[in-house]
Amino acid sequence: SGIYIGEDKIVHLDGSGEIEIVDPEEFIARLNGLNPADKIYYSCDEDGNPIKSEEIANRAKNMVGKGRDYHVLFDNCHQFTSGCITGNFENTDNFMTFLKDTARKELGVEQWKALKIK
């Protein structure tokens, strides 16, 4: 998971622990082709409009170039994304289900739509 910051760019925590900016194609191609995802989903309100937050995007951008002690279960991309949403990067949202609950509570996310990738 990651934070879309506009202009076809996503901030995410990669498997090496680096927080970086990538485009959607790079996001899907990460993990040397071992990434099982073939779509990127974005959060929407009840009318299907993308949820936007300059505050969340700025939190993500401010983390670029920093690193974390990445662990697939205990310090991963879902926790990073939740930290961008809440400001608490030491959260326990280490599974997508927990991240979705946080997005629902904090942002009113009601649905997710697939992004069309070039």
Side-chain angles (χ1 to χ4, degrees), residues 15-32:
S16 72
E18 180 183 351
I19 299 166
E20 63 182 359
I21 299 176
V22 296
D23 62 34
E25 292 81 12
E26 292 170 300
F27 188 76
I28 287 291
R30 69 193 186 285
L31 301 177
N32 296 322

Side-chain angles (χ1 to χ4, degrees), residues 66-86:
K66 296 179 181 176
R68 296 194 54 93
D69 189 17
Y70 183 89
H71 186 281
V72 70
L73 295 177
F74 303 115
D75 195 349
N76 61 30
C77 60
H78 306 312
Q79 288 167 283
F80 169 74
T81 300
S82 182
C84 292
I85 293 169
T86 65

Side-chain angles (χ1 to χ4, degrees), residues 35-68:
N35 179 20
D38 61 354
K39 293 183 178 92
I40 296 173
Y41 290 89
Y42 59 94
S43 55
C44 302
D45 63 20
E46 62 187 23
D47 296 323
N49 299 312
I51 304 252
K52 299 176 183 178
S53 169
E54 191 171 323
E55 180 180 13
I56 293 170
N58 285 336
R59 272 194 203 115
K61 287 187 242 182
N62 288 335
M63 295 296 289
V64 172
K66 296 179 181 176
R68 296 194 54 93

Side-chain angles (χ1 to χ4, degrees), residues 72-115:
V72 70
L73 295 177
F74 303 115
D75 195 349
N76 61 30
C77 60
H78 306 312
Q79 288 167 283
F80 169 74
T81 300
S82 182
C84 292
I85 293 169
T86 65
N88 175 14
F89 287 92
E90 304 309 319
N91 63 75
T92 57
D93 289 349
N94 54 337
F95 294 100
M96 181 58 91
T97 303
F98 301 152
L99 174 57
K100 284 184 171 184
D101 286 343
T102 295
R104 190 175 302 109
K105 290 175 196 167
E106 297 288 325
L107 304 171
V109 172
E110 295 294 332
Q111 57 183 308
W112 301 82
K113 289 186 177 180
L115 177 70

